[in-house]
Amino acid sequence: MLQLMLEFYYTGSISLNICDRPLFDAVEFNQFVPKKDSITGLIVALLIINIWAASLTFLLYFDVSKFPNWLIPIAIIWQTFLYTGLFITAHDAMHGAIYQKNIKINNFIGSLSVILYALFSYRQLLKKHWLHHHHPASEKDPDFYDGKRKNGIIWYFHFMKEYWSWHQLIGLTLVYNLAKYALQIPETHLLLFWAIPPILSSIQLFYFGTFLPHREPEEGYVRPHCAQTIRLSVFWSFITCYHFGYHQEHHEFPQVPWWQLPVVYKQKIQ
């Protein structure tokens, strides 16, 4: 019901969802959905946002010349991981998994996360994400690239074209110049820790959250979800993309937050 409220609140309409019926019936949905008065999802979301902000502030203002050369790539990877966490947080908000008790707080966290990520419009992302869940691997799916052309690089650029806008590019350019000239942040720091990580994060999110889970298997798609799970250990699933690789589980139980997907996955493989 909360998902229908979210969809109507942001799109003004409700679409028929072909993914309402789970393929895996042995899992009880309600045991994984946070209780309405639970603040765990909110705490997890705020933790990610604050770690991202503290890390970025430190990296932008700390003298990089004091870093050993081998540490700079690690810092970039670390910041990339945190950017991915921002987007996953927004994604959870799109499914009402941050704070069910208050939809306004839930959506505020989602909006804040995608603005910090790259000045995305939460409303537009939510609208397209509903289309993805309602019509996976179809011409109505904004995340899907024609199955006849399976090249991952071409698919990535098609994927990015669906979500990027000139308004974002202009806005990010303004932020970059404001940070450089008004806040006196070194250009090298901006490039290494503010510009490069979200680009790498978009590749990470695409590869583990779209390309691998939604490319067509040799035996063909399994309807209705058209989604596959990347079978990794819980540790590597978290490291690669905050358990977004447990993608069939996500499509079957979209209100389950990212940090509870391993529980669904473990029950499924037992």
Side-chain angles (χ1 to χ4, degrees):
M1 178 60 70
L2 180 57
Q3 292 198 70
L4 296 179
M5 290 171 61
L6 277 165
E7 180 180 11
F8 185 78
Y9 181 79
Y10 273 95
T11 68
S13 62
I14 297 176
S15 305
L16 293 176
N17 191 343
I18 64 171
C19 298
D20 282 339
R21 178 178 59 83
L23 295 176
F24 182 61
D25 298 322
V27 174
E28 288 294 333
F29 173 73
N30 290 333
Q31 68 179 305
F32 301 110
V33 179
K35 294 180 180 179
K36 191 173 182 180
D37 60 350
S38 172
I39 63 169
T40 305
L42 186 59
I43 292 172
V44 171
L46 292 175
L47 186 63
I48 290 174
I49 292 171
N50 280 281
I51 292 175
W52 170 87
S55 176
L56 181 61
T57 302
F58 172 79
L59 291 171
L60 289 180
Y61 283 101
F62 187 80
D63 187 357
V64 177
S65 65
K66 295 181 180 179
F67 279 10
N69 291 335
W70 59 267
L71 190 56
I72 292 178
I74 293 177
I76 293 173
I77 292 171
W78 164 249
Q79 200 61 28
T80 298
F81 182 71
L82 294 178
Y83 266 97
T84 299
L86 278 183
F87 198 89
I88 295 296
T89 297
H91 171 264
D92 267 8
M94 294 175 198
H95 292 288
I98 298 294
Y99 193 45
Q100 291 198 44
K101 187 176 182 180
N102 191 312
I103 191 173
K104 290 184 178 179
I105 293 176
N106 179 88
N107 291 338
F108 172 77
I109 294 296
S111 298
L112 176 63
S113 297
V114 290
I115 288 172
L116 294 175
Y117 185 89
L119 302 184
F120 281 108
S121 164
Y122 178 71
R123 183 185 294 269
Q124 291 300 317
L125 287 181
L126 180 59
K127 183 177 181 179
K128 291 189 176 185
H129 193 60
W130 281 115
L131 288 173
H132 168 65
H133 272 268
H134 293 336
H135 310 284
S138 75
E139 60 182 12
K140 295 182 180 180
D141 180 0
D143 292 2
F144 181 67
Y145 192 62
D146 189 343
K148 297 177 182 178
R149 293 165 283 183
K150 301 178 182 180
N151 183 285
I153 296 175
I154 298 175
W155 190 346
Y156 170 76
F157 284 107
H158 173 84
F159 175 83
M160 294 304 296
K161 185 181 71 173
E162 284 288 328
Y163 289 94
W164 275 93
S165 70
W166 286 107
H167 295 92
Q168 275 179 276
L169 188 58
I170 294 170
L172 290 170
T173 301
L174 291 173
V175 171
Y176 179 89
N177 283 282
L178 177 66
K180 179 181 176 181
Y181 295 109
L183 301 180
Q184 298 295 304
I185 297 175
E187 187 170 22
T188 302
H189 293 209
L190 284 169
L191 290 172
L192 290 176
F193 307 121
W194 182 78
I196 292 177
I199 295 173
L200 295 178
S201 171
S202 72
I203 296 172
Q204 180 183 9
L205 285 161
F206 167 76
Y207 185 73
F208 290 103
T210 297
F211 179 70
L212 291 184
H214 286 292
R215 61 179 177 176
E216 186 173 7
E218 291 184 3
E219 60 275 16
Y221 284 118
V222 177
R223 303 284 175 178
H225 303 291
C226 303
Q228 307 168 75
T229 281
I230 305 171
R231 301 187 181 281
L232 296 174
S233 67
V234 172
F235 173 77
W236 285 112
S237 172
F238 171 64
I239 294 299
T240 53
C241 206
Y242 292 77
H243 306 307
F244 213 38
Y246 296 150
H247 213 73
Q248 183 176 333
E249 290 76 9
H250 165 62
H251 272 258
E252 293 181 0
F253 306 101
Q255 280 185 282
V256 174
W258 69 264
W259 41 273
Q260 284 190 310
L261 284 173
V263 182
V264 182
Y265 173 72
K266 284 183 175 181
Q267 288 218 3
K268 184 173 180 178
I269 63 176
Q270 284 178 354

